[in-house]
Amino acid sequence: MKIEQIYTGCLSQGAYYIESNGEVAIIDPLREVKTYLEKAKADNAKIKYIFETHFHADFVSGHVTLSKETGAPIVFGPNAETSFDSIIAKNNQVFKLGNITITVLHTPGHTMESSVYLLKDENGKDHAIFSGDTLFLGDVGRPDLAQKTGSITAEDLAGFLFDSLRTKIMPLADDVIVYPAHGAGSSCGKKLSKETIDLLGNQKQTNYALRADMTKEEFIKEVTDGLLPPPQYFPLNVKMNKEGYDDFGDVLKRSTQALSPEAFEAAVNETEAIVLDVRHQNDFAKGHIPRSIFIGLDGGFAPWVGALIADVKKPILLVTPVGREEETITRLSRVGFDQTLGYLKGGFNAWKKASKEYDTVSSIPATIFKEAKESGAVLIFDVRKEAEYLSEHVLGANNTPLDYINNHLAEFPDTGSFYVHCAGGYRSMITASILKSRGIHNLIDVQGGFKAIKEVNVAVSAYVCPSTL
């Protein structure tokens, strides 16, 4: 028996490859399926089943394409409804894989079809659970992302989740391994651990949601407390996962269109496409196509695209580092953005060489920011999350989280300079690009963000541990 976790940091997502005696199961695959096919070929094995723990909201799964490529059936838990052929399993239904078995444990709560897959080894002993978004390390799946039916509320779903955990998961032995679908950084939970594998016994001791003395009312309150609105693209990804989507190969073929600066400029003028610049923030600051939006590849790229562009049908034109065009298109497709029209051939340098108009972002080191702050009153906008801001912030700074920047546009002045910072410089440059695309150009980005600001001893608020907020 072989179990391999295939973790994708950008999405904080874990897919699983399980092989036994020449037969393979894939759990929650990513959209591009080449990796799974290659692994099965290397093992001289056949992919027999594709298991989905639920209808994912934060990424587009590869189940439809993988099934088409291999002939393996797609398995969902009870209550699932799909527009494609699939096995809708019953609770406790057993699937044989080589010398092992995988049992479906229906665990409604995160969504109504959510299921955990229990792997039993060749001796019939409980070995591991693939817990999807039902149980994370340190947390459980939020109960407000499911497509609602009837009058079911988030509180109702939280109640179902309480029952699922206590009747299906907690009775399992402490030595059972937990393989969750997500780790820290995912929007599917609130307090996810940075670890990606653990023993169930440890989770019983450390996960607040598994406290033995917890009442259902306490659980519902804790799980639903402080939930922020989910990203707007989540329901669109659920729809694709339920109804199907274009093969990734077709998306890649039509999207990798190299456009000269002239053709790129014409496409910008003739379509409603967003110009998405995915280079490093420092490169974007030095020069970029006017009104383009920056979301760098070397950061939380796909989730930020989903949160800020939101509409997966929106056409996109790409400015990428030379050689990273296919990577960008791949990572966009993981969250359902399939409408890339092409990319700027030769990158931004080609745009400059063609003497095309370009814009810049005023960006200064933290030392200069400190001098400006000490010389008089300055207007500062901190675009980190509210919890980050409340934990510690520059005295006098306003909190305008990037996640909800459109709700704060009226707070930015039309005249006079103001300063923008985040934690390390990535989110503040995204903010700068959005503001400039809306005609707000009187901003100054602070390089290195709050980390750099603290290092030069700018006065900040008293530290409050984030876990107490």
Side-chain angles (χ1 to χ4, degrees):
M1 176 179 66
K2 177 168 70 173
I3 300 173
E4 185 174 348
Q5 181 184 69
I6 305 170
Y7 200 78
T8 304
C10 182
L11 295 172
S12 304
Q13 189 266 345
Y16 296 93
Y17 175 94
I18 307 163
E19 187 272 335
S20 175
N21 198 27
E23 295 183 338
V24 171
I26 308 294
I27 298 180
D28 293 340
L30 277 187
R31 188 170 181 182
E32 66 276 16
V33 302
K34 182 179 179 181
T35 297
Y36 316 114
L37 297 173
E38 289 178 344
K39 287 182 180 298
K41 183 178 181 180
D43 287 339
N44 194 28
K46 177 180 174 59
I47 296 177
K48 186 177 182 181
Y49 295 113
I50 303 157
F51 291 100
E52 289 287 323
T53 55
H54 64 294
F55 292 121
H56 305 283
D58 59 317
F59 71 98
V60 179
S61 179
H63 54 307
V64 175
T65 301
L66 191 56
S67 179
K68 180 179 177 182
E69 291 281 344
T70 64
I74 302 166
V75 181
F76 281 93
N79 297 333
E81 296 180 1
T82 66
S83 299
F84 44 82
D85 289 339
S86 59
I87 296 173
I88 308 303
K90 297 178 180 179
N91 183 49
N92 289 323
Q93 186 169 342
V94 178
F95 293 84
K96 184 170 176 56
L97 187 77
N99 299 324
I100 64 175
T101 62
I102 295 176
T103 301
V104 179
L105 304 180
H106 185 213
T107 53
H110 175 64
T111 65
M112 288 305 293
E113 79 284 351
S114 285
S115 296
V116 169
Y117 296 107
L118 171 63
L119 185 154
K120 297 189 178 187
D121 65 19
E122 56 273 12
N123 297 315
K125 181 180 183 297
D126 294 350
H127 178 77
I129 54 172
F130 300 88
S131 58
D133 287 18
T134 294
L135 176 63
F136 298 129
L137 305 187
D139 201 359
V140 290
R142 52 192 288 180
D144 63 327
L145 300 183
Q147 289 191 332
K148 302 298 190 297
T149 56
S151 59
I152 293 177
T153 66
E155 287 73 21
D156 292 331
L157 285 165
F160 298 150
L161 183 56
F162 176 88
D163 293 336
S164 294
L165 292 168
R166 278 149 181 79
T167 60
K168 306 288 179 62
I169 305 302
M170 292 176 68
L172 297 174
D174 288 354
D175 63 354
V176 169
I177 303 168
V178 180
Y179 292 107
H182 291 293
S186 170
S187 296
C188 295
K190 296 184 295 183
K191 304 176 182 178
L192 283 70
S193 169
K194 293 180 181 179
E195 303 300 320
T196 61
I197 300 172
D198 198 8
L199 293 177
L200 182 58
N202 190 48
Q203 285 302 300
K204 291 177 184 178
Q205 295 295 319
T206 61
N207 191 322
Y208 76 97
L210 301 186
R211 294 201 310 267
D213 61 349
M214 185 182 243
T215 67
K216 180 181 284 192
E217 290 71 25
E218 290 171 336
F219 178 91
I220 292 172
K221 184 178 187 303
E222 290 198 39
V223 168
T224 58
D225 184 52
L227 287 174
L228 296 173
Q232 294 180 56
Y233 78 102
F234 272 25
L236 303 176
N237 275 200
V238 171
K239 180 179 174 67
M240 294 175 74
N241 284 320
K242 291 184 69 165
E243 298 179 3
Y245 45 77
D246 293 344
D247 284 350
F248 171 68
D250 294 336
V251 173
L252 186 62
K253 183 177 180 180
R254 69 170 182 252
S255 299
T256 48
Q257 304 300 315
L259 303 174
S260 68
E262 291 72 24
F264 193 93
E265 185 176 42
V268 171
N269 293 330
E270 294 169 8
T271 71
E272 296 183 352
I274 288 176
V275 178
L276 180 61
D277 193 321
V278 305
R279 297 173 296 150
H280 190 274
Q281 58 261 33
N282 293 348
D283 295 324
F284 183 86
K286 293 173 185 175
H288 58 269
I289 295 173
R291 295 174 297 283
S292 58
I293 300 300
F294 164 78
I295 305 178
L297 271 178
D298 298 322
F301 175 67
W304 279 120
V305 169
L308 298 173
I309 298 179
D311 182 4
V312 298
K313 298 299 184 183
K314 188 72 176 174
I316 294 172
L317 288 162
L318 292 174
V319 180
T320 76
V322 175
R324 300 185 72 180
E325 300 86 5
E326 185 172 320
E327 176 191 351
T328 305
I329 293 163
T330 299
R331 291 171 66 178
L332 284 171
S333 75
R334 289 174 181 168
V335 287
F337 288 82
D338 291 352
Q339 304 306 315
T340 297
L341 304 181
Y343 63 89
L344 180 59
K345 185 179 181 180
F348 184 71
N349 285 338
W351 184 266
K352 287 182 68 177
K353 287 179 180 179
S355 299
K356 300 294 184 183
E357 178 187 0
Y358 68 91
D359 201 354
T360 60
V361 175
S362 297
S363 187
I364 61 169
T367 51
I368 303 300
F369 170 73
K370 180 182 181 181
E371 292 174 6
K373 191 173 189 308
E374 292 177 347
S375 66
V378 294
L379 194 55
I380 308 164
F381 292 91
D382 182 337
V383 300
R384 296 176 300 159
K385 295 180 182 294
E386 183 182 16
E388 294 175 274
Y389 173 85
L390 293 175
S391 177
E392 197 174 23
H393 60 267
V394 175
L395 295 178
N398 302 284
N399 186 214
T400 53
L402 173 59
D403 309 60
Y404 312 107
I405 199 66
N406 288 329
N407 298 335
H408 296 285
L409 292 177
E411 299 173 36
F412 298 98
D414 296 326
T415 59
S417 296
F418 61 90
Y419 297 85
V420 178
H421 80 82
C422 60
Y426 181 82
R427 284 175 285 177
S428 63
M429 193 58 66
I430 297 176
T431 302
S433 72
I434 292 172
L435 295 182
K436 288 178 73 67
S437 74
R438 305 294 179 86
I440 302 173
H441 297 281
N442 50 315
L443 59 93
I444 301 173
D445 171 68
V446 183
Q447 299 167 10
F450 190 68
K451 180 177 184 293
I453 289 170
K454 280 191 67 178
E455 287 174 352
V456 298
N457 297 316
V458 171
V460 299
S461 64
Y463 177 76
V464 178
C465 180
S467 64
T468 65
L469 296 172

